[in-house]
Amino acid sequence: MKYSNPQIPEGINTSDSHPLKEFVLLAGGALLLLVVLAWGFGEAGARLARFLPFESEAGLVPEGVLQSDAGPELQRYIDELATRVSAELALPPGMQVNVHVSGGDTFNAFATLGGNVLLFRGLLEALPNENALAMLMAHEIAHVVHRDPIVGIGRGAAIQIVAGLVFGDPDLAVLGQAGIYTQLHFNRDMERDADAAALRAVNGLYGHVSGAADLFKVIQSERREQGGGEPPAIFSSHPLDQQRLQAITDTVREHGWRADGPITALPAAYAEWLRDAARRHDKPAD
Amino acid sequence: MVDLIVFLVLLSLGYLVGRHAEKKHYRSIIERETRLNALPAMAMRSPPMKEYYSQALVTGNVVISVDYFKRFLAALRNLFGGRVTSYESLLDRARREALLRMKAQAEALGAKMVFNVKYETASISKGRRQTIGSVEVLAYGTALIDTRRQ
Amino acid sequence: MLITNLEMVPGRRVLEHLGLVQGSSVRAKHVGRDIMAGLKNIFGGELKGYTELLQESREEAMDRMQSQAEAVGANAVLNVRFSTSSVAQGAAEIYVYGTAVRLE
């Protein structure tokens, strides 16, 4: 009996397909799959959310999000402006908007469930005139009218469920981020719609849109001051500042609205009211 | 965005280093296989019944880990199904390396051949992740040593 | 003590079969090794720490099997088999078993 081990040729138990080629195919397919699923489920979630009656939204607002630090004068002024802006935006029956002012120095404002809008002192202080403030409030109230807060939550939940189900493997978690970027895409659409509605409301309120662009200029200069720079459009929740300014110019030209007109100043005591709100924020009333 | 950058760095590191290491390993395997082919390993249970053979149990083991790139590729493959090419070479390398170490041990004993070779494969880092990650292969058999030469 | 995974020994007769003998060992490497192994999971390649860990525990398991065989009065263990299972992250059980016999 002869015993021997001849050399066996390579590549019988392994495939010689190029790993990079396989990677491109698989990763591309997975991304496409996720974006399509996120799109489909996101739309379904958004549609479902719209069925929820507006009245039941209020119960979903988390405790402690809505602090109100405004003194009576500031609150009266804000409420009065909100009423005028709301009239321009044609709130559907049964919908009510509550605008709150936080004394915090955060440079932000947002609309949340139940028609609640929160404006932060940090942003309010930077506004140069009432027109810009009206633009800001109109933008946030437009989110409420479009029901963006609940739609965003519905869409976000649907996308997370899909991403979790299909990309639950921790090795693939990084792909799940594509779901977030799909969500951001929808977010930018919502912002654009809110900007357009807000501009229409400002035009209706003052008869011209002068000062509306100041809101975005203020945001832009704050961003420059922070030195952060804008993230690339695909990673951003809002359209780029420059695009928003350009959209104003385009819309005004398209509708033949007046771009110039008398600027309405903020009340003389506005700055003092905000300082008062900041004090209330730092020392909450017992 | 930071996650994405970290991920891409790990992925390209895994790809470049892992591919280089694999090629090097295969070169070394082929080189040693050619040398150790003179010492045949059989999966037969019955040895030649010659009285001058003494025998010893020889083993060779190795734990090999797959690189980040290949693990990611395998996880992707899990979505679509099909042949997981990135684990094929991992297992192939581990099996051949274990057999070579066993043969080297047999060679050191002055054996003429190894009989009844068996493989034992186990995944070591199960639990941390659902995927294999790393694999242990043990090859063992009985070395037959020709006592007449001593 | 002769330990082999063959079922017979050329030129020697089995006088008596003494049944199954076995050895087992569960071992874990210290955390430093585990961290190194975690790094290796990025680059791929051999996890030397784990290779050694398993080799050591295999030797221990074989020692234990041999002690069992000696205790029953055997001078050889035939048809030996190994089995490995991972009990937890970084720890492995090695199990070895065979037939204890007395050879002439």
Side-chain angles (χ1 to χ4, degrees), chain A residues 77-88 99 137 141 205:
Chain A
Y77 170 64
I78 293 279
D79 283 346
E80 187 254 343
L81 190 57
T83 313
R84 283 161 59 204
V85 169
S86 303
E88 290 296 329
V99 183
M137 280 167 66
I141 294 171
L205 202 57

Side-chain angles (χ1 to χ4, degrees), chain A residues 60-192:
Chain A
L60 300 173
V61 184
E63 280 294 307
V65 170
L66 298 167
Q67 68 271 54
S68 213
D69 300 322
E73 291 108 329
L74 178 58
Q75 193 62 55
R76 200 176 309 125
Y77 170 64
I78 293 279
D79 283 346
E80 187 254 343
L81 190 57
T83 313
R84 283 161 59 204
V85 169
S86 303
E88 290 296 329
L89 284 164
L91 260 60
M95 189 177 279
Q96 207 196 330
V97 173
N98 306 307
V99 183
H100 311 261
V101 176
S102 161
D105 58 0
T106 315
F107 195 85
N108 198 5
F110 62 82
T112 182
L113 300 172
N116 290 296
V117 172
L118 185 60
L119 310 174
F120 285 90
R121 173 185 55 93
L123 177 53
L124 290 181
E125 263 176 358
L127 297 175
N129 49 50
E130 196 188 88
N131 306 61
L133 177 60
M135 180 71 186
L136 172 66
M137 280 167 66
H139 174 96
E140 301 305 342
I141 294 171
H143 277 316
V144 174
V145 175
H146 299 159
R147 305 209 56 194
D148 289 343
I150 188 77
V151 166
I153 289 175
R155 178 178 288 134
I159 290 180
Q160 285 214 333
I161 289 170
V162 165
L165 277 181
V166 182
F167 297 88
D169 186 328
D171 282 333
L172 292 179
V174 70
L175 275 183
Q177 292 193 349
I180 299 172
Y181 299 136
T182 312
Q183 198 174 339
L184 289 180
H185 169 83
F186 287 113
N187 223 47
R188 291 193 293 274
D189 281 350
M190 297 201 296
E191 296 298 334
R192 264 189 284 272

Side-chain angles (χ1 to χ4, degrees), chain A residues 3-5 7 10 14-15 18-20 22-23 26-27 29-30 166-167 170-172 174-175 177 235, chain B residues 1 3 7 11 15 19 33 37 40-41 71-73 76-77 79-80 83 85 88 96 103 115 129-131:
Chain A
Y3 296 98
S4 75
N5 266 178
Q7 185 72 23
E10 294 297 311
T14 53
S15 315
H18 199 282
L20 277 185
E22 202 183 337
F23 174 76
L26 288 178
V166 182
F167 297 88
D171 282 333
L172 292 179
V174 70
L175 275 183
Q177 292 193 349
F235 299 129
Chain B
M1 229 186 6
D3 284 5
F7 165 73
L11 203 65
Y15 177 71
R19 201 169 160 77
E33 270 180 355
N37 273 348
R71 189 167 38 242
F72 185 74
L73 204 57
L76 276 180
R77 181 51 86 183
L79 287 179
F80 299 102
R83 196 197 286 157
T85 51
E88 285 178 344
R96 288 164 79 174
K103 277 188 171 187
F115 259 80
R129 309 207 160 196
Q130 291 126 310
T131 41

Side-chain angles (χ1 to χ4, degrees), chain B residues 30-70:
Chain B
I30 292 168
E31 187 252 315
R32 281 178 292 155
E33 270 180 355
T34 320
R35 189 168 61 78
L36 285 167
N37 273 348
L39 198 162
M42 300 290 146
M44 316 264 299
R45 294 206 297 197
S46 37
M49 299 299 274
K50 301 278 167 45
E51 296 189 3
Y52 48 78
Y53 280 136
S54 85
Q55 51 182 307
L57 192 71
V58 284
T59 62
N61 78 321
V62 65
V63 182
I64 295 194
S65 162
V66 72
D67 59 66
Y68 192 87
F69 176 83
K70 288 199 162 184

Side-chain angles (χ1 to χ4, degrees), chain C residues 84-100:
Chain C
T84 313
S85 49
S86 74
V87 178
Q89 168 63 30
E93 193 221 11
I94 305 289
Y95 181 59
V96 53
Y97 57 102
T99 308

